[in-house]
Amino acid sequence: MKYISTRGQAPELTFEEAMLTGLARDGGLYVPAEIPTMSKDEIAALAGLSYEEVAFRVMRPFIGDCFSDDEFRAIIGRAYESFGHAARAPMVQLAPNHFLMELFHGPTLAFKDFAMQLIGQLFETALKRRGDSVTIVGATSGDTGSAAIQAFGGLEAVNVFILYPHGRVSEVQRRQMTTPSDANVHALAVDGDFDDCQAALKDMFNDFDFRDEVKLAGVNSINFARVLAQVVYYFFSAVSLGAPERKLSFTVPTGNFGDIFAGFIAKQMGLPIDKLVVATNQNDILHRCLSGQGYHKGDTIPSISPSMDIQVSSNFERALFYAYNQDGAAVAQLMEELKSGGFEVSQGAMQALQEHYVSGRCSEEETSATIASEYKASGELLCPHSAIGVKVANELRDPAVPMVTLATAHPAKFPAAVEAASDVHPPLPPRMADLYDKPERVTRIANDLAALESHIREQIAN
Ligand SMILES: *Cc1c(COP(=O)(O)O)cnc(C)c1O
């Protein structure tokens, strides 16, 4: 199994190499040269299996011979043992033919745990075998950083530094980053906003001396191993609702397009998915694009669903790659145009996109109203991101086709917005009730490349 770049100019890599590399050298994103398929019988045989066994069978064809079967099973086992729910991704019913898949039972209460926990174990196994180690630096608006710190804490082959904007993440998110006591994970509160953190990260990757010296690696959502981990729960939920005999649809609250792109992979593998519904907040570049208005950057407006406050959606490049019939040169051209603000999608590519994806947008008022109305209707308390999914799903779903809406975070991760909308205070799950009592460990740091690099150098040397 080989991996190729969406821009067509980078060397082909194995799964393990693509995972450790992250971004391709030509600036593109790695995708499998060919998407493996599962037969109807193989899909049917997934019904009733544990999440871990489904994960093994769905992901196995993508990893080639990078990990042995025993090794891969053990990795999956360790990845999901810290989840607080035996089903890992349980479903509840909201209304006739409308289901909510709860992806928030992991250690940081957001769906990013599914991928980050797995990638932590994959990195550790691969690096130990190579006798190597890396320094992972990430920038976060909240969920990715907390998931990474929880997933990599205590591992031997990795040091992790997470840059977050000082004073601009929720208290739960901050504490999930600052309370782990493992010596190899470090929370850095940067004096700046999320864009400053991302820019600093980019500058570090472009400082080749520093990059080589500390063996810099990334785990942001463009890493294909993260996308792959998310393919699993599409299969897991679909077979419990009658696939492959019955088709179904999914609605996904979307920012960087990683989670919903995993649904596209599942569909290409043979899962009978009718529609993939992209749900955006007021930062609606994806909705505008899928409605035929081209892909044009706007200003990011802060919302009560901060994990979706994105104007350039990095994994959308993968969707474009398939819509343009895997023409890397065409994708590279679009990405060049994006540098100066945006691009138009060709008619053929637009048709290809609309064959798989439909989209809707949800305003701030509608998000709050949905949290309140869904609590009344079904008793389910939604986080703002999940509420956006439910609102758009209700608008666009075909009552005759089962709809699964992905609940991407636990309401207790965004308590202020949830309480303001519903008058209900969402408590943390009992297993995390001590989060507010644990001591915090964080370094406040200037938004300055030299300061960041010397801090990271010092910490690694310790
Ligand atoms: C990251 C995140 C999203 C968006 O997911 P993408 O894969 O970036 O589209 C939605 N909801 C929550 C809670 C998140 O943390």
PDB file of all heavy atoms in Angstrom, residues 122-159:
ATOM      1  N   LEU A 122       0.547   4.387  17.577  1.00  0.00           N
ATOM      2  CA  LEU A 122       1.237   4.068  16.310  1.00  0.00           C
ATOM      3  C   LEU A 122       2.626   4.716  16.274  1.00  0.00           C
ATOM      4  O   LEU A 122       3.608   4.074  15.890  1.00  0.00           O
ATOM      5  CB  LEU A 122       0.410   4.564  15.113  1.00  0.00           C
ATOM      6  CG  LEU A 122      -0.886   3.819  14.791  1.00  0.00           C
ATOM      7  CD1 LEU A 122      -1.718   4.602  13.773  1.00  0.00           C
ATOM      8  CD2 LEU A 122      -0.589   2.415  14.241  1.00  0.00           C
ATOM      9  N   PHE A 123       2.702   5.989  16.681  1.00  0.00           N
ATOM     10  CA  PHE A 123       3.996   6.682  16.718  1.00  0.00           C
ATOM     11  C   PHE A 123       4.958   5.948  17.652  1.00  0.00           C
ATOM     12  O   PHE A 123       6.116   5.694  17.297  1.00  0.00           O
ATOM     13  CB  PHE A 123       3.811   8.127  17.226  1.00  0.00           C
ATOM     14  CG  PHE A 123       3.738   9.165  16.140  1.00  0.00           C
ATOM     15  CD1 PHE A 123       2.680   9.172  15.248  1.00  0.00           C
ATOM     16  CD2 PHE A 123       4.707  10.151  16.012  1.00  0.00           C
ATOM     17  CE1 PHE A 123       2.587  10.134  14.255  1.00  0.00           C
ATOM     18  CE2 PHE A 123       4.635  11.122  15.015  1.00  0.00           C
ATOM     19  CZ  PHE A 123       3.571  11.117  14.135  1.00  0.00           C
ATOM     20  N   GLU A 124       4.495   5.644  18.862  1.00  0.00           N
ATOM     21  CA  GLU A 124       5.364   5.024  19.867  1.00  0.00           C
ATOM     22  C   GLU A 124       5.929   3.695  19.339  1.00  0.00           C
ATOM     23  O   GLU A 124       7.123   3.428  19.426  1.00  0.00           O
ATOM     24  CB  GLU A 124       4.559   4.802  21.158  1.00  0.00           C
ATOM     25  CG  GLU A 124       5.326   4.130  22.281  1.00  0.00           C
ATOM     26  CD  GLU A 124       6.161   5.097  23.116  1.00  0.00           C
ATOM     27  OE1 GLU A 124       6.399   6.232  22.657  1.00  0.00           O
ATOM     28  OE2 GLU A 124       6.567   4.701  24.229  1.00  0.00           O
ATOM     29  N   THR A 125       5.066   2.874  18.756  1.00  0.00           N
ATOM     30  CA  THR A 125       5.500   1.568  18.261  1.00  0.00           C
ATOM     31  C   THR A 125       6.492   1.722  17.114  1.00  0.00           C
ATOM     32  O   THR A 125       7.552   1.076  17.085  1.00  0.00           O
ATOM     33  CB  THR A 125       4.278   0.737  17.798  1.00  0.00           C
ATOM     34  OG1 THR A 125       3.354   0.669  18.884  1.00  0.00           O
ATOM     35  CG2 THR A 125       4.673  -0.673  17.392  1.00  0.00           C
ATOM     36  N   ALA A 126       6.161   2.608  16.150  1.00  0.00           N
ATOM     37  CA  ALA A 126       7.034   2.781  14.981  1.00  0.00           C
ATOM     38  C   ALA A 126       8.384   3.375  15.387  1.00  0.00           C
ATOM     39  O   ALA A 126       9.437   2.925  14.916  1.00  0.00           O
ATOM     40  CB  ALA A 126       6.345   3.678  13.952  1.00  0.00           C
ATOM     41  N   LEU A 127       8.369   4.373  16.249  1.00  0.00           N
ATOM     42  CA  LEU A 127       9.619   5.049  16.619  1.00  0.00           C
ATOM     43  C   LEU A 127      10.515   4.149  17.459  1.00  0.00           C
ATOM     44  O   LEU A 127      11.731   4.119  17.285  1.00  0.00           O
ATOM     45  CB  LEU A 127       9.319   6.350  17.371  1.00  0.00           C
ATOM     46  CG  LEU A 127       8.713   7.455  16.509  1.00  0.00           C
ATOM     47  CD1 LEU A 127       8.165   8.581  17.373  1.00  0.00           C
ATOM     48  CD2 LEU A 127       9.750   8.006  15.526  1.00  0.00           C
ATOM     49  N   LYS A 128       9.920   3.399  18.372  1.00  0.00           N
ATOM     50  CA  LYS A 128      10.732   2.498  19.202  1.00  0.00           C
ATOM     51  C   LYS A 128      11.421   1.457  18.333  1.00  0.00           C
ATOM     52  O   LYS A 128      12.571   1.125  18.539  1.00  0.00           O
ATOM     53  CB  LYS A 128       9.854   1.823  20.255  1.00  0.00           C
ATOM     54  CG  LYS A 128       9.698   2.658  21.515  1.00  0.00           C
ATOM     55  CD  LYS A 128       8.998   1.845  22.582  1.00  0.00           C
ATOM     56  CE  LYS A 128       9.195   2.439  23.950  1.00  0.00           C
ATOM     57  NZ  LYS A 128       8.314   1.786  24.938  1.00  0.00           N
ATOM     58  N   ARG A 129      10.692   0.952  17.352  1.00  0.00           N
ATOM     59  CA  ARG A 129      11.273  -0.041  16.455  1.00  0.00           C
ATOM     60  C   ARG A 129      12.448   0.558  15.674  1.00  0.00           C
ATOM     61  O   ARG A 129      13.449  -0.087  15.427  1.00  0.00           O
ATOM     62  CB  ARG A 129      10.208  -0.578  15.500  1.00  0.00           C
ATOM     63  CG  ARG A 129      10.690  -1.774  14.714  1.00  0.00           C
ATOM     64  CD  ARG A 129       9.824  -2.092  13.503  1.00  0.00           C
ATOM     65  NE  ARG A 129       8.417  -2.287  13.830  1.00  0.00           N
ATOM     66  CZ  ARG A 129       7.438  -1.639  13.209  1.00  0.00           C
ATOM     67  NH1 ARG A 129       7.686  -0.747  12.286  1.00  0.00           N
ATOM     68  NH2 ARG A 129       6.188  -1.882  13.538  1.00  0.00           N
ATOM     69  N   ARG A 130      12.301   1.837  15.300  1.00  0.00           N
ATOM     70  CA  ARG A 130      13.378   2.512  14.569  1.00  0.00           C
ATOM     71  C   ARG A 130      14.477   3.012  15.497  1.00  0.00           C
ATOM     72  O   ARG A 130      15.474   3.567  15.023  1.00  0.00           O
ATOM     73  CB  ARG A 130      12.808   3.736  13.831  1.00  0.00           C
ATOM     74  CG  ARG A 130      11.868   3.399  12.689  1.00  0.00           C
ATOM     75  CD  ARG A 130      11.053   4.622  12.276  1.00  0.00           C
ATOM     76  NE  ARG A 130      10.295   4.341  11.058  1.00  0.00           N
ATOM     77  CZ  ARG A 130      10.412   5.029   9.924  1.00  0.00           C
ATOM     78  NH1 ARG A 130      11.230   6.055   9.840  1.00  0.00           N
ATOM     79  NH2 ARG A 130       9.701   4.701   8.866  1.00  0.00           N
ATOM     80  N   GLY A 131      14.291   2.902  16.801  1.00  0.00           N
ATOM     81  CA  GLY A 131      15.257   3.444  17.750  1.00  0.00           C
ATOM     82  C   GLY A 131      15.346   4.952  17.644  1.00  0.00           C
ATOM     83  O   GLY A 131      16.384   5.563  17.831  1.00  0.00           O
ATOM     84  N   ASP A 132      14.212   5.574  17.362  1.00  0.00           N
ATOM     85  CA  ASP A 132      14.194   7.006  17.085  1.00  0.00           C
ATOM     86  C   ASP A 132      13.224   7.709  18.040  1.00  0.00           C
ATOM     87  O   ASP A 132      12.456   7.069  18.763  1.00  0.00           O
ATOM     88  CB  ASP A 132      13.718   7.198  15.623  1.00  0.00           C
ATOM     89  CG  ASP A 132      14.267   8.473  15.013  1.00  0.00           C
ATOM     90  OD1 ASP A 132      14.867   9.284  15.753  1.00  0.00           O
ATOM     91  OD2 ASP A 132      14.075   8.653  13.799  1.00  0.00           O
ATOM     92  N   SER A 133      13.293   9.032  18.046  1.00  0.00           N
ATOM     93  CA  SER A 133      12.325   9.805  18.813  1.00  0.00           C
ATOM     94  C   SER A 133      12.033  11.088  18.055  1.00  0.00           C
ATOM     95  O   SER A 133      12.816  11.489  17.188  1.00  0.00           O
ATOM     96  CB  SER A 133      12.877  10.137  20.201  1.00  0.00           C
ATOM     97  OG  SER A 133      13.992  10.986  20.066  1.00  0.00           O
ATOM     98  N   VAL A 134      10.886  11.731  18.353  1.00  0.00           N
ATOM     99  CA  VAL A 134      10.531  12.979  17.667  1.00  0.00           C
ATOM    100  C   VAL A 134       9.999  13.995  18.668  1.00  0.00           C
ATOM    101  O   VAL A 134       9.649  13.656  19.795  1.00  0.00           O
ATOM    102  CB  VAL A 134       9.451  12.760  16.572  1.00  0.00           C
ATOM    103  CG1 VAL A 134       9.974  11.898  15.447  1.00  0.00           C
ATOM    104  CG2 VAL A 134       8.182  12.183  17.179  1.00  0.00           C
ATOM    105  N   THR A 135       9.978  15.246  18.210  1.00  0.00           N
ATOM    106  CA  THR A 135       9.348  16.315  18.977  1.00  0.00           C
ATOM    107  C   THR A 135       8.102  16.756  18.232  1.00  0.00           C
ATOM    108  O   THR A 135       8.186  17.212  17.088  1.00  0.00           O
ATOM    109  CB  THR A 135      10.299  17.523  19.099  1.00  0.00           C
ATOM    110  OG1 THR A 135      11.508  17.088  19.720  1.00  0.00           O
ATOM    111  CG2 THR A 135       9.666  18.632  19.920  1.00  0.00           C
ATOM    112  N   ILE A 136       6.965  16.577  18.868  1.00  0.00           N
ATOM    113  CA  ILE A 136       5.715  16.984  18.239  1.00  0.00           C
ATOM    114  C   ILE A 136       5.357  18.380  18.738  1.00  0.00           C
ATOM    115  O   ILE A 136       5.300  18.614  19.944  1.00  0.00           O
ATOM    116  CB  ILE A 136       4.588  15.988  18.563  1.00  0.00           C
ATOM    117  CG1 ILE A 136       4.843  14.686  17.797  1.00  0.00           C
ATOM    118  CG2 ILE A 136       3.225  16.567  18.229  1.00  0.00           C
ATOM    119  CD1 ILE A 136       3.959  13.556  18.213  1.00  0.00           C
ATOM    120  N   VAL A 137       5.178  19.299  17.812  1.00  0.00           N
ATOM    121  CA  VAL A 137       4.699  20.624  18.195  1.00  0.00           C
ATOM    122  C   VAL A 137       3.383  20.847  17.474  1.00  0.00           C
ATOM    123  O   VAL A 137       3.264  20.592  16.270  1.00  0.00           O
ATOM    124  CB  VAL A 137       5.710  21.735  17.838  1.00  0.00           C
ATOM    125  CG1 VAL A 137       5.211  23.086  18.348  1.00  0.00           C
ATOM    126  CG2 VAL A 137       7.075  21.442  18.440  1.00  0.00           C
ATOM    127  N   GLY A 138       2.385  21.290  18.214  1.00  0.00           N
ATOM    128  CA  GLY A 138       1.076  21.537  17.619  1.00  0.00           C
ATOM    129  C   GLY A 138       0.519  22.861  18.094  1.00  0.00           C
ATOM    130  O   GLY A 138       0.867  23.345  19.172  1.00  0.00           O
ATOM    131  N   ALA A 139      -0.346  23.450  17.256  1.00  0.00           N
ATOM    132  CA  ALA A 139      -1.075  24.656  17.645  1.00  0.00           C
ATOM    133  C   ALA A 139      -2.537  24.266  17.782  1.00  0.00           C
ATOM    134  O   ALA A 139      -3.032  23.450  17.013  1.00  0.00           O
ATOM    135  CB  ALA A 139      -0.920  25.743  16.590  1.00  0.00           C
ATOM    136  N   THR A 140      -3.221  24.839  18.769  1.00  0.00           N
ATOM    137  CA  THR A 140      -4.587  24.399  19.004  1.00  0.00           C
ATOM    138  C   THR A 140      -5.484  25.554  19.394  1.00  0.00           C
ATOM    139  O   THR A 140      -5.036  26.512  20.023  1.00  0.00           O
ATOM    140  CB  THR A 140      -4.631  23.330  20.117  1.00  0.00           C
ATOM    141  OG1 THR A 140      -5.943  22.792  20.193  1.00  0.00           O
ATOM    142  CG2 THR A 140      -4.259  23.903  21.476  1.00  0.00           C
ATOM    143  N   SER A 141      -6.771  25.448  19.017  1.00  0.00           N
ATOM    144  CA  SER A 141      -7.760  26.359  19.571  1.00  0.00           C
ATOM    145  C   SER A 141      -8.454  25.660  20.742  1.00  0.00           C
ATOM    146  O   SER A 141      -9.386  26.194  21.311  1.00  0.00           O
ATOM    147  CB  SER A 141      -8.767  26.765  18.500  1.00  0.00           C
ATOM    148  OG  SER A 141      -9.362  25.627  17.931  1.00  0.00           O
ATOM    149  N   GLY A 142      -8.012  24.448  21.074  1.00  0.00           N
ATOM    150  CA  GLY A 142      -8.551  23.792  22.261  1.00  0.00           C
ATOM    151  C   GLY A 142      -8.595  22.276  22.211  1.00  0.00           C
ATOM    152  O   GLY A 142      -7.932  21.590  22.978  1.00  0.00           O
ATOM    153  N   ASP A 143      -9.362  21.722  21.266  1.00  0.00           N
ATOM    154  CA  ASP A 143      -9.618  20.283  21.303  1.00  0.00           C
ATOM    155  C   ASP A 143      -8.440  19.427  20.831  1.00  0.00           C
ATOM    156  O   ASP A 143      -8.140  18.386  21.413  1.00  0.00           O
ATOM    157  CB  ASP A 143     -10.855  19.950  20.464  1.00  0.00           C
ATOM    158  CG  ASP A 143     -12.132  20.420  21.133  1.00  0.00           C
ATOM    159  OD1 ASP A 143     -12.118  20.603  22.358  1.00  0.00           O
ATOM    160  OD2 ASP A 143     -13.132  20.600  20.424  1.00  0.00           O
ATOM    161  N   THR A 144      -7.763  19.858  19.778  1.00  0.00           N
ATOM    162  CA  THR A 144      -6.666  19.056  19.254  1.00  0.00           C
ATOM    163  C   THR A 144      -5.528  18.965  20.276  1.00  0.00           C
ATOM    164  O   THR A 144      -4.954  17.900  20.501  1.00  0.00           O
ATOM    165  CB  THR A 144      -6.116  19.671  17.949  1.00  0.00           C
ATOM    166  OG1 THR A 144      -7.179  19.723  17.013  1.00  0.00           O
ATOM    167  CG2 THR A 144      -4.993  18.840  17.375  1.00  0.00           C
ATOM    168  N   GLY A 145      -5.210  20.075  20.904  1.00  0.00           N
ATOM    169  CA  GLY A 145      -4.108  20.101  21.869  1.00  0.00           C
ATOM    170  C   GLY A 145      -4.389  19.255  23.094  1.00  0.00           C
ATOM    171  O   GLY A 145      -3.520  18.516  23.553  1.00  0.00           O
ATOM    172  N   SER A 146      -5.611  19.349  23.597  1.00  0.00           N
ATOM    173  CA  SER A 146      -5.911  18.539  24.779  1.00  0.00           C
ATOM    174  C   SER A 146      -5.869  17.061  24.419  1.00  0.00           C
ATOM    175  O   SER A 146      -5.320  16.236  25.166  1.00  0.00           O
ATOM    176  CB  SER A 146      -7.253  18.943  25.411  1.00  0.00           C
ATOM    177  OG  SER A 146      -8.290  19.007  24.461  1.00  0.00           O
ATOM    178  N   ALA A 147      -6.395  16.718  23.252  1.00  0.00           N
ATOM    179  CA  ALA A 147      -6.370  15.307  22.833  1.00  0.00           C
ATOM    180  C   ALA A 147      -4.930  14.815  22.667  1.00  0.00           C
ATOM    181  O   ALA A 147      -4.593  13.694  23.053  1.00  0.00           O
ATOM    182  CB  ALA A 147      -7.156  15.120  21.534  1.00  0.00           C
ATOM    183  N   ALA A 148      -4.053  15.664  22.118  1.00  0.00           N
ATOM    184  CA  ALA A 148      -2.659  15.248  21.891  1.00  0.00           C
ATOM    185  C   ALA A 148      -1.931  15.067  23.222  1.00  0.00           C
ATOM    186  O   ALA A 148      -1.200  14.090  23.412  1.00  0.00           O
ATOM    187  CB  ALA A 148      -1.940  16.272  21.020  1.00  0.00           C
ATOM    188  N   ILE A 149      -2.126  15.988  24.140  1.00  0.00           N
ATOM    189  CA  ILE A 149      -1.431  15.875  25.436  1.00  0.00           C
ATOM    190  C   ILE A 149      -1.880  14.622  26.173  1.00  0.00           C
ATOM    191  O   ILE A 149      -1.072  13.899  26.757  1.00  0.00           O
ATOM    192  CB  ILE A 149      -1.644  17.168  26.257  1.00  0.00           C
ATOM    193  CG1 ILE A 149      -0.730  18.259  25.669  1.00  0.00           C
ATOM    194  CG2 ILE A 149      -1.362  16.939  27.742  1.00  0.00           C
ATOM    195  CD1 ILE A 149      -0.636  19.537  26.456  1.00  0.00           C
ATOM    196  N   GLN A 150      -3.171  14.338  26.121  1.00  0.00           N
ATOM    197  CA  GLN A 150      -3.664  13.129  26.794  1.00  0.00           C
ATOM    198  C   GLN A 150      -3.168  11.864  26.092  1.00  0.00           C
ATOM    199  O   GLN A 150      -2.892  10.864  26.732  1.00  0.00           O
ATOM    200  CB  GLN A 150      -5.197  13.121  26.824  1.00  0.00           C
ATOM    201  CG  GLN A 150      -5.792  14.228  27.679  1.00  0.00           C
ATOM    202  CD  GLN A 150      -5.785  13.924  29.170  1.00  0.00           C
ATOM    203  OE1 GLN A 150      -5.669  12.773  29.570  1.00  0.00           O
ATOM    204  NE2 GLN A 150      -5.902  14.962  29.986  1.00  0.00           N
ATOM    205  N   ALA A 151      -3.047  11.915  24.774  1.00  0.00           N
ATOM    206  CA  ALA A 151      -2.684  10.701  24.037  1.00  0.00           C
ATOM    207  C   ALA A 151      -1.186  10.396  24.126  1.00  0.00           C
ATOM    208  O   ALA A 151      -0.794   9.236  24.162  1.00  0.00           O
ATOM    209  CB  ALA A 151      -3.098  10.834  22.570  1.00  0.00           C
ATOM    210  N   PHE A 152      -0.357  11.422  24.151  1.00  0.00           N
ATOM    211  CA  PHE A 152       1.086  11.209  24.097  1.00  0.00           C
ATOM    212  C   PHE A 152       1.744  11.245  25.475  1.00  0.00           C
ATOM    213  O   PHE A 152       2.917  10.904  25.613  1.00  0.00           O
ATOM    214  CB  PHE A 152       1.747  12.244  23.176  1.00  0.00           C
ATOM    215  CG  PHE A 152       1.500  12.004  21.715  1.00  0.00           C
ATOM    216  CD1 PHE A 152       0.373  12.513  21.092  1.00  0.00           C
ATOM    217  CD2 PHE A 152       2.386  11.240  20.967  1.00  0.00           C
ATOM    218  CE1 PHE A 152       0.138  12.281  19.743  1.00  0.00           C
ATOM    219  CE2 PHE A 152       2.161  11.009  19.616  1.00  0.00           C
ATOM    220  CZ  PHE A 152       1.046  11.529  19.004  1.00  0.00           C
ATOM    221  N   GLY A 153       0.993  11.680  26.499  1.00  0.00           N
ATOM    222  CA  GLY A 153       1.561  11.768  27.841  1.00  0.00           C
ATOM    223  C   GLY A 153       2.086  10.420  28.315  1.00  0.00           C
ATOM    224  O   GLY A 153       1.390   9.421  28.250  1.00  0.00           O
ATOM    225  N   GLY A 154       3.344  10.389  28.748  1.00  0.00           N
ATOM    226  CA  GLY A 154       3.906   9.156  29.286  1.00  0.00           C
ATOM    227  C   GLY A 154       4.556   8.254  28.250  1.00  0.00           C
ATOM    228  O   GLY A 154       5.205   7.268  28.611  1.00  0.00           O
ATOM    229  N   LEU A 155       4.410   8.562  26.963  1.00  0.00           N
ATOM    230  CA  LEU A 155       5.087   7.746  25.947  1.00  0.00           C
ATOM    231  C   LEU A 155       6.578   8.114  25.927  1.00  0.00           C
ATOM    232  O   LEU A 155       6.969   9.221  26.291  1.00  0.00           O
ATOM    233  CB  LEU A 155       4.455   7.965  24.570  1.00  0.00           C
ATOM    234  CG  LEU A 155       2.959   7.624  24.466  1.00  0.00           C
ATOM    235  CD1 LEU A 155       2.460   7.822  23.042  1.00  0.00           C
ATOM    236  CD2 LEU A 155       2.673   6.197  24.936  1.00  0.00           C
ATOM    237  N   GLU A 156       7.409   7.170  25.481  1.00  0.00           N
ATOM    238  CA  GLU A 156       8.854   7.367  25.609  1.00  0.00           C
ATOM    239  C   GLU A 156       9.511   8.026  24.402  1.00  0.00           C
ATOM    240  O   GLU A 156      10.515   8.716  24.527  1.00  0.00           O
ATOM    241  CB  GLU A 156       9.539   6.024  25.866  1.00  0.00           C
ATOM    242  CG  GLU A 156       9.283   5.510  27.276  1.00  0.00           C
ATOM    243  CD  GLU A 156       9.687   4.054  27.442  1.00  0.00           C
ATOM    244  OE1 GLU A 156      10.499   3.567  26.624  1.00  0.00           O
ATOM    245  OE2 GLU A 156       9.171   3.417  28.376  1.00  0.00           O
ATOM    246  N   ALA A 157       8.956   7.789  23.216  1.00  0.00           N
ATOM    247  CA  ALA A 157       9.655   8.206  22.000  1.00  0.00           C
ATOM    248  C   ALA A 157       9.242   9.590  21.509  1.00  0.00           C
ATOM    249  O   ALA A 157       9.659  10.015  20.444  1.00  0.00           O
ATOM    250  CB  ALA A 157       9.421   7.166  20.902  1.00  0.00           C
ATOM    251  N   VAL A 158       8.406  10.281  22.280  1.00  0.00           N
ATOM    252  CA  VAL A 158       7.913  11.588  21.830  1.00  0.00           C
ATOM    253  C   VAL A 158       7.908  12.622  22.944  1.00  0.00           C
ATOM    254  O   VAL A 158       7.545  12.322  24.088  1.00  0.00           O
ATOM    255  CB  VAL A 158       6.454  11.507  21.295  1.00  0.00           C
ATOM    256  CG1 VAL A 158       6.418  11.176  19.841  1.00  0.00           C
ATOM    257  CG2 VAL A 158       5.639  10.518  22.101  1.00  0.00           C
ATOM    258  N   ASN A 159       8.323  13.833  22.601  1.00  0.00           N
ATOM    259  CA  ASN A 159       8.067  15.002  23.433  1.00  0.00           C
ATOM    260  C   ASN A 159       6.997  15.821  22.720  1.00  0.00           C
ATOM    261  O   ASN A 159       7.014  15.931  21.491  1.00  0.00           O
ATOM    262  CB  ASN A 159       9.337  15.850  23.586  1.00  0.00           C
ATOM    263  CG  ASN A 159      10.240  15.301  24.670  1.00  0.00           C
ATOM    264  OD1 ASN A 159       9.876  15.280  25.842  1.00  0.00           O
ATOM    265  ND2 ASN A 159      11.418  14.830  24.280  1.00  0.00           N
TER     266      ASN A 159
END
